[in-house]
Amino acid sequence: MNNKEYWNKKIETMKRADLEDLQLARLKRTISTALDTRYYGGLYAEKGLNVDSIESLDDIRKFPFTVKQDLRDSYPDGMTSPKKRESIRMHCSSGTTGQPTVVFHNQHDLDAWADLVARSLFCAGARPGDVFQNICGYGLFTGGLGFQYGGETLGALTIPAGAGNTKRQIKLIQDFGTTVMHAIPSYLIRLYDVFEQEGVDPVKDTNLRMFVIGAEPHTEAQRKKIENLFGVKAYNSYGLTEMNGPGVAFECEEQSGLHIWEDSYLVEIINPETLEPVEEGEIGELVLTTLNREVMPLVRYRTRDLTRFIPGECSCGRTHRRLDRITGRSDDMFIIKGCNVFPMQIESVLMKKKEVGTNYLIELVTENDVDEMYVKVELRSEYFSDSYHDLEKLKESLVHQIRDEVLAKPKVLLLPPGELPQQEGKAVRVVDYREAQR
Ligand code: AMP
Ligand code: ZN
């Protein structure tokens, strides 16, 4: 173990003015690389934009946004620079519909990414010498190899455990003394159920001391639930394939927002309707520009993720600004009975109930020409056997609390554990049957 406080003190605690100088120099380099790509080269020539268009960081606003469809239209490599020839790795985003989006990396890009993930893990409290079990899919998905190389760069024994096979995960945790674990939040409750079935106490029978959770939206209530079940701290990890994958923004030990690594990403938060910047501290869509990527620069990429800057400085001493947890995506809002609803609003109600497990599903259906929202909720096994009266009371209270939160009245169904479909990867929270039923 070493006693240093930061992975890279110089970068992580840089004065804002110096950080912005670094960003400006790197932004110019990014635009220059982008001009070499087929996609941006053509687009910027049309608009008369070039490196000289950038004199200050605000000049980024002269440049058009990039959206996921642009990556799909440029499939497979229209957004790569001539450095593509040096590419040694590619990843795809987990999108399930249409053309995947592909990102290529050369050795520089991979080294920079691994260093960011190591910095992120360190920032949350992992240290060289930790045993880091990475429970997620290896392959095109970035969470596998991204955390693998990051954990190794940190100096942790990094176990490429992969997804699923829960009993074997527990065996690995016990046999190798896992101290730090990465998993998606929806998987962790399932894992806990198997701990219980196997009679393994996470506090007494393992060395687990921290989790890194991310890759899908989750509420503070869900984090608390995970922390209470396991008796282990859980830190929020945010990333997306288009920006490498994990290692874009991460919570520090204060657990008060995610530091976004501003030496590597230029951050904007915009109103998704007007496309103008929101006021400092207001929620909007996160827009990112890569500042340290050679093969595939992306300029003003609209992530669709909704968040806000947390005002003020963090007591950990890092100067990179903090994002609030992602509250959802600007494209996962649905409208029911005239009310705009984000799935996370419903989750925040569900997760405050001790009886509720973590698997739930929102189904939108049309019954007799009326749209209905069903909220199907798995309970924890010890509560499902409760009396009919208690279950009815719980159901009623969920109906009221969800209605208070989203204004539309749901129909709530309480289910025993294991009834709802389980995903290997990210959880699917909403299924909309309405179009098909019309
Ligand atoms: P992918 O590129 O397939 O890894 O998916 C990236 C997307 O996953 C992001 O744009 C977010 O919508 C979501 N995501 C990743 N990490 C988090 C997190 N910590 N909280 C909420 N959503 C997340
Ligand atoms: Zn901090």
Side-chain angles (χ1 to χ4, degrees):
M1 290 287 209
N2 66 16
N3 294 320
K4 65 178 186 176
E5 282 175 277
Y6 305 99
W7 177 249
N8 185 335
K9 185 169 185 186
K10 180 164 173 251
I11 292 275
E12 290 171 64
T13 62
M14 226 176 203
K15 288 205 189 75
R16 283 303 305 178
D18 296 336
L19 187 54
E20 286 172 12
D21 285 347
L22 177 69
Q23 288 188 307
L24 185 59
R26 288 186 168 183
L27 177 60
K28 289 182 183 165
R29 202 174 62 191
T30 294
I31 297 297
S32 153
T33 313
L35 282 161
D36 291 338
T37 70
R38 278 205 302 284
Y39 175 76
Y40 289 115
L43 184 67
Y44 293 172
E46 220 173 82
K47 299 192 179 293
L49 292 164
N50 54 47
V51 179
D52 295 335
S53 314
I54 299 274
E55 283 172 11
S56 75
L57 288 174
D58 284 342
D59 288 330
I60 188 70
R61 290 174 57 194
K62 297 178 184 163
F63 287 75
F65 293 105
T66 305
V67 296
K68 205 176 188 85
Q69 192 58 41
D70 298 327
L71 274 96
R72 291 193 171 129
D73 293 344
S74 315
Y75 184 86
D77 64 357
M79 287 198 174
T80 56
S81 79
K83 287 229 172 203
K84 159 89 191 305
R85 286 188 297 272
E86 298 170 5
S87 288
I88 52 175
R89 175 102 64 81
M90 59 169 276
H91 282 284
C92 290
S93 77
S94 59
T96 45
T97 50
Q99 199 74 278
T101 53
V102 191
V103 177
F104 295 89
H105 305 273
N106 66 4
Q107 189 66 58
H108 161 273
D109 296 339
L110 290 181
D111 290 346
W113 179 18
D115 191 68
L116 280 181
V117 176
R119 185 199 294 178
S120 301
L121 288 167
F122 193 100
C123 162
R127 291 292 178 269
D130 265 314
V131 179
F132 173 46
Q133 186 162 331
N134 187 21
I135 307 190
C136 79
Y138 278 62
L140 289 169
F141 178 59
T142 56
L145 292 177
F147 271 114
Q148 184 67 33
Y149 283 86
E152 292 172 5
T153 302
L154 174 73
L157 170 63
T158 307
I159 306 178
N165 204 340
T166 303
K167 282 190 188 162
R168 197 180 61 167
Q169 300 287 0
I170 296 175
K171 182 167 166 53
L172 290 171
I173 291 170
Q174 291 199 290
D175 292 356
F176 298 96
T178 299
T179 50
V180 180
M181 203 162 75
H182 166 243
I184 56 178
S186 53
Y187 178 74
L188 281 172
I189 304 291
R190 263 192 278 157
L191 180 67
Y192 183 78
D193 284 339
V194 183
F195 264 87
E196 275 194 323
Q197 283 159 26
E198 301 287 297
V200 179
D201 180 326
V203 175
K204 293 202 199 95
D205 303 332
T206 78
N207 293 339
L208 285 172
R209 67 179 184 83
M210 62 176 273
F211 293 152
V212 170
I213 57 175
E216 64 186 12
H218 56 285
T219 51
E220 182 61 31
Q222 188 172 1
R223 183 235 295 270
K224 286 266 150 54
K225 183 159 213 147
I226 290 169
E227 291 190 335
N228 291 339
L229 282 175
F230 286 91
V232 168
K233 287 266 178 205
Y235 298 86
N236 196 346
S237 142
Y238 170 77
L240 62 163
T241 310
E242 291 81 355
M243 295 291 131
N244 294 343
V248 175
F250 230 85
E251 272 183 336
C252 67
E253 291 179 71
E254 305 295 326
Q255 289 187 315
S256 63
L258 299 89
H259 289 282
I260 179 147
W261 301 126
E262 295 188 78
D263 57 312
S264 301
Y265 303 98
L266 186 65
V267 191
E268 298 170 83
I269 298 183
I270 61 163
N271 177 322
E273 309 277 309
T274 64
L275 307 182
E276 293 298 319
V278 295
E279 295 293 322
E280 184 82 20
E282 264 181 36
I283 293 187
E285 179 181 335
L286 184 68
V287 173
L288 298 173
T289 299
T290 60
L291 292 177
N292 193 18
R293 219 159 59 182
E294 290 188 348
V295 175
M296 208 169 139
L298 287 181
V299 180
R300 303 194 88 196
Y301 181 69
R302 290 187 58 182
T303 65
R304 300 285 171 188
D305 292 322
L306 299 175
T307 182
R308 64 178 192 113
F309 280 123
I310 295 184
E313 283 163 19
C314 186
S315 44
C316 75
R318 291 178 180 84
T319 49
H320 300 233
R321 282 178 293 178
R322 287 167 300 158
L323 300 179
D324 211 343
R325 68 173 55 251
I326 308 290
T327 50
R329 293 176 54 81
S330 59
D331 50 8
D332 71 11
M333 185 194 82
F334 59 86
I335 300 180
I336 183 92
K337 298 177 196 279
C339 306
N340 294 355
V341 179
F342 287 99
M344 283 303 107
Q345 292 178 284
I346 295 181
E347 179 177 307
S348 68
V349 172
L350 298 179
M351 290 307 143
K352 286 191 192 114
K353 300 268 182 211
K354 63 179 186 317
E355 296 90 345
V356 171
T358 52
N359 209 0
Y360 67 90
L361 184 65
I362 302 164
E363 286 183 350
L364 308 174
V365 300
T366 306
E367 287 173 348
N368 306 323
D369 293 329
V370 177
D371 285 354
E372 293 290 352
M373 168 167 67
Y374 280 87
V375 180
K376 298 182 166 177
V377 189
E378 281 186 11
L379 297 188
R380 301 195 38 72
S381 45
E382 65 265 37
Y383 295 106
F384 197 73
S385 48
D386 277 1
S387 74
Y388 177 77
H389 178 70
D390 289 345
L391 289 179
E392 274 303 301
K393 251 180 39 197
L394 174 64
K395 189 161 123 179
E396 277 308 300
S397 109
L398 284 174
V399 168
H400 285 124
Q401 287 177 18
I402 293 172
R403 195 192 51 202
D404 286 349
E405 177 68 35
V406 304
L407 305 179
K409 189 174 176 186
K411 293 189 169 175
V412 170
L413 296 181
L414 302 179
L415 303 169
E419 279 286 295
L420 291 171
Q422 291 184 343
Q423 281 90 32
E424 270 276 300
K426 303 185 186 213
V428 174
R429 298 304 193 191
V430 184
V431 185
D432 193 344
Y433 294 107
R434 289 175 298 179
E435 270 300 308
Q437 290 169 330
R438 280 199 183 106

